[in-house]
Amino acid sequence: MKKQIIAGAASLALAAMPVVGAFATDPADVVDTLTVTVNESCTFDHDGTGGAYTKAMEPGALDTAFATSSFKAMCNNGLGYTVSAVFTSLEHLDNAGDAITYSATTPTAGSGTWTAQIDGGANIAATNGVLLNTSTQDPSEGTSVTVIYKVSLNDDQAQGTYRGTATYTLTQKS
């Protein structure tokens, strides 16, 4: 029995001794590197109030508030973007020869023209069709703009339905 006690005491003494060389130097630094890639994000939203505007008018009438349309752009591209517009004439659906033409100037009564104007600003045709032009990333709330459509009919405008389009395109700068 004595042998067992001595052997146990010797084992206990060895376990308490430090292991030479295993922890002789300080541990090295551990570095974690995190890499995040932020995807390009760009949204262009209509205010949701329309996209199709219909109104009845009399020949010779002028409506300088025919409709309004609001847009919001938000891009995280640091170089910015442009929003450009292209407009067509309002074509008579039954008579191809009759049209209410798009004009770079504000319509006057009886002119038979229509236009789009940035609310509180220029006629979009006068800005070469550019609605928005940024050179930086948008703020978190984005950039909003409202367009006002103005329509004038000729004094002898043919009866019927006329239809045309305003097409807005967002292009990111590179």
Side-chain angles (χ1 to χ4, degrees), residues 114-142:
W114 78 283
T115 196
Q117 178 180 338
I118 299 169
D119 189 18
N123 181 305
I124 297 171
T127 63
N128 293 320
V130 176
L131 184 66
L132 291 172
N133 185 12
T134 69
S135 57
T136 61
Q137 176 178 330
D138 271 323
S140 60
E141 66 275 3

Side-chain angles (χ1 to χ4, degrees), residues 38-61:
V38 178
N39 294 327
E40 184 174 85
S41 173
C42 206
T43 59
F44 186 47
D45 297 317
H46 192 264
D47 66 1
T49 61
Y53 306 100
T54 303
K55 195 181 266 189
M57 295 175 67
E58 297 294 323

